[in-house]
Amino acid sequence: MALVCTEITEWVEEEVSKPVEEWEERQKKKCKNYPWYDPRGWVCWFVTYFVKVIRWVVVIVGKWVIRTVCKLVGVVVEALVDIVGGLWDVVVGIVTLDWRRILDGLLRMVIGAVLGLIRLARIIFLGDTFEYIIEEINKERLRRYVRGLLEAKYSGDTLTDIKAAIRLDHGAFGLRLHATAYRTVLDSEAMSDADPTAPNLVVLHEQGAINLRALCGFEYDEGFWNRKRYKTLKKGTVLGGGGGGEFDNPISADDLDTYLSSRGAQGPPFIVLPMRDGTLNTKVSTASEKGRELSLMLDFDKETRPVTAAAHIVHPGYDRPNTHLALTGFLTDVLGRRNKTADPAGATADLCHPVAAGVFRYTDGLRGIANNLHDSACGLDGKSTSGVTFIDNTPDQLWKYVPIHELGHYFGLCHTDGVDRIMYSPKTNSWWRGWAIPRGLLNVYLEAEPSFSYGEAKATWDYVVAHFAPQCLGARPIVIEVRPTTAGSAGAIT
């Protein structure tokens, strides 16, 4: 709902903050300049002419009203969805004797109600209004900063094209990037290269490389608080009642036991996804919404990619020495990203298309990991490829920020202190910064959720302008014209 509100206000700014051309009719009195006694000077006349007037419409008040009303409605709706959804989980958990679902439902209800009250209170007591004013001020500051970066690097038509593409002067300012959110997928019928007589999943499970029962959601070998919402789906056509929503046709624990005990010869064919559709949608919409705080407008497609290698199912974490090298292998082999060592131009072009892949798990307690292609000012070392991976965790209110956190690294940002910041990492940073309690209360009043700072927005654009190709920023591609040749002459290229 918050993303909807953001897109609506951007649409208003985009639609209204444009030059409005009008032709105005004007008249001017004209007389001949003769002495007073000359009759030719006694007659005057009026000349009618038209003037084109260009007006820029101010939209600050309109945007504020639309945003406030939309957020007020959105807060109420989101809280009700969490409470009703949590209550449903509690009821189903009681009926099915699933105590984990009961606890998840209770947590969703409590967290949803508490966050709803906080967000409603900050709107009523003008916290959202003050946040809006600060955002507008920072947006103009960032426009000026980015203008300086661009004018120091580009000129002529290239500079003009980029300014127009990112709406630097008027409209909704931001770099528009097409991105893809992937989910890896396991196929029960994919055969093993090591043992052609059995499916790949059976062989990997027997070798201990994966725990297929855990990956299908029937065991929780990572502990209660690290449970994922894996999704199994039987293959084949299944008749449904329609009406939209997420499609479910899961296998049972008995189906999986039959599949494993028969080494794939029996049981229904199935696929396994690392997270449910709604979970991915929540993480992607959060990434789109929060990216706008950096003036990045990320438009996501969603796709799946099959994986068979054990290292692409259980990804090496920081408990292994080859973490980022393994991520490079996954990004190149599975997602088709290009390695800058072999193809520097291709790797640079890939930057313009961010990718974030939902995977099954890591060998340690990681929730996500990123490869940034180039060194950043805050100390990140450049990697051979660009892209991020992430896993699912409950509750969504806490872990929905993982993909945009990792994409922050993609754009050159480092970890920071403070749970009120998206780039906070509990593994390496303190949960508080100086004057923790007063600052924390102020951020709850102004933000009510983790956010990016103005300094991080500047650092993002430092990285973007320094490393992204001008065509990615909006410059027109260079056209190479090859002129026809005649006998005995060379072709001319302009």
Side-chain angles (χ1 to χ4, degrees), residues 383-398:
K383 311 302 188 300
S384 298
T385 53
S386 61
V388 311
T389 60
F390 61 93
I391 60 171
D392 175 39
N393 260 128
T394 57
D396 284 329
Q397 290 94 335
L398 298 179

Side-chain angles (χ1 to χ4, degrees), residues 263-412:
R263 303 199 81 216
Q266 300 178 28
F270 62 91
I271 62 171
V272 189
L273 293 163
M275 62 193 66
R276 297 181 63 79
D277 304 2
T279 302
L280 180 66
N281 292 339
T282 297
K283 296 180 186 297
V284 166
S285 63
T286 300
S288 295
E289 176 194 351
K290 287 298 177 179
R292 283 162 163 79
E293 295 180 3
L294 302 173
S295 288
L296 300 175
M297 297 183 180
L298 301 172
D299 176 29
F300 283 92
D301 282 339
K302 302 182 188 71
E303 296 183 21
T304 59
R305 283 289 186 273
V307 289
T308 55
H312 295 163
I313 301 171
V314 182
H315 289 242
Y318 284 113
D319 60 339
R320 305 293 171 88
N322 61 335
T323 306
H324 288 280
L325 183 62
L327 178 57
T328 292
F330 171 79
L331 292 171
T332 55
D333 296 343
V334 178
L335 302 188
R337 305 292 276 186
R338 288 166 283 193
N339 192 307
K340 71 178 180 183
T341 302
D343 187 1
T348 298
D350 284 345
L351 279 176
C352 198
H353 184 90
V355 294
V359 298
F360 285 91
R361 60 195 300 177
Y362 299 100
T363 55
D364 59 4
L366 278 178
R367 262 75 179 186
I369 188 172
N371 268 7
N372 52 290
L373 192 63
H374 298 283
D375 296 346
S376 71
C378 61
L380 288 179
D381 294 329
K383 311 302 188 300
S384 298
T385 53
S386 61
V388 311
T389 60
F390 61 93
I391 60 171
D392 175 39
N393 260 128
T394 57
D396 284 329
Q397 290 94 335
L398 298 179
W399 300 113
K400 65 182 181 179
Y401 302 102
V402 172
I404 187 59
H405 171 101
E406 299 305 331
L407 286 169
H409 293 315
Y410 180 99
F411 289 99

Side-chain angles (χ1 to χ4, degrees), residues 453-473:
S453 68
Y454 169 66
E456 287 170 328
K458 290 173 59 181
T460 296
W461 278 91
D462 285 337
Y463 188 88
V464 166
V465 174
H467 301 300
F468 280 51
Q471 288 73 31
C472 179
L473 303 183

Side-chain angles (χ1 to χ4, degrees), residues 416-421 430-437 439 443:
T416 186
D417 294 329
V419 293
D420 58 317
R421 300 279 289 277
S430 170
W431 66 272
W432 64 279
R433 288 173 285 148
W435 299 95
I437 295 178
R439 187 172 192 135
N443 285 335

Side-chain angles (χ1 to χ4, degrees), residues 80-307:
L80 288 175
V81 168
D82 283 338
I83 294 172
V84 173
L87 181 61
W88 173 255
D89 285 337
V90 170
V91 172
V92 174
I94 292 173
V95 173
T96 59
L97 300 179
D98 186 348
W99 65 271
R100 296 181 182 86
R101 188 163 184 176
I102 295 173
L103 183 55
D104 285 341
L106 291 173
L107 285 174
R108 184 178 179 184
M109 290 172 63
V110 172
I111 295 175
V114 170
L115 290 178
L117 288 174
I118 292 174
R119 290 165 179 165
L120 189 61
R122 62 182 289 275
I123 293 175
I124 294 174
F125 293 103
L126 301 182
D128 187 68
T129 298
F130 288 125
E131 180 200 7
Y132 172 75
I133 295 171
I134 293 171
E135 284 180 358
E136 290 297 312
I137 292 172
N138 285 339
K139 186 184 299 182
E140 290 306 312
R141 293 170 65 195
L142 187 62
R143 284 181 191 265
R144 292 194 295 270
Y145 183 77
V146 172
R147 180 177 286 106
L149 292 176
L150 293 174
E151 291 176 350
K153 185 172 182 178
Y154 299 109
S155 61
D157 291 340
T158 299
L159 177 61
T160 301
D161 291 343
I162 294 174
K163 285 183 176 180
I166 65 175
R167 316 294 198 270
L168 186 61
D169 295 319
H170 300 283
F173 166 57
L175 177 59
R176 288 144 177 86
L177 293 175
H178 177 66
T180 300
Y182 293 96
R183 278 184 295 178
T184 53
V185 58
L186 306 178
D187 189 336
S188 68
E189 295 183 299
M191 299 305 291
S192 171
D193 293 332
D195 182 358
T197 65
N200 183 62
L201 293 180
V202 172
V203 174
L204 293 179
H205 180 81
E206 292 174 345
Q207 292 174 346
I210 64 172
N211 181 349
L212 189 57
R213 289 189 176 90
L215 294 178
C216 290
F218 299 120
E219 291 182 5
Y220 304 100
D221 58 353
E222 290 186 288
F224 179 82
W225 296 109
N226 286 319
R227 290 172 299 123
K228 283 63 172 186
R229 287 164 289 190
Y230 299 131
K231 178 175 180 176
T232 63
L233 280 171
K234 294 176 186 175
K235 290 185 178 182
T237 303
V238 178
L239 297 178
E246 184 163 351
F247 175 75
D248 280 309
N249 185 30
I251 64 170
S252 66
D254 289 339
D255 291 333
L256 181 61
D257 288 340
T258 300
Y259 171 76
L260 290 174
S261 62
S262 68
R263 303 199 81 216
Q266 300 178 28
F270 62 91
I271 62 171
V272 189
L273 293 163
M275 62 193 66
R276 297 181 63 79
D277 304 2
T279 302
L280 180 66
N281 292 339
T282 297
K283 296 180 186 297
V284 166
S285 63
T286 300
S288 295
E289 176 194 351
K290 287 298 177 179
R292 283 162 163 79
E293 295 180 3
L294 302 173
S295 288
L296 300 175
M297 297 183 180
L298 301 172
D299 176 29
F300 283 92
D301 282 339
K302 302 182 188 71
E303 296 183 21
T304 59
R305 283 289 186 273
V307 289

Side-chain angles (χ1 to χ4, degrees), residues 11 79 267:
W11 176 78

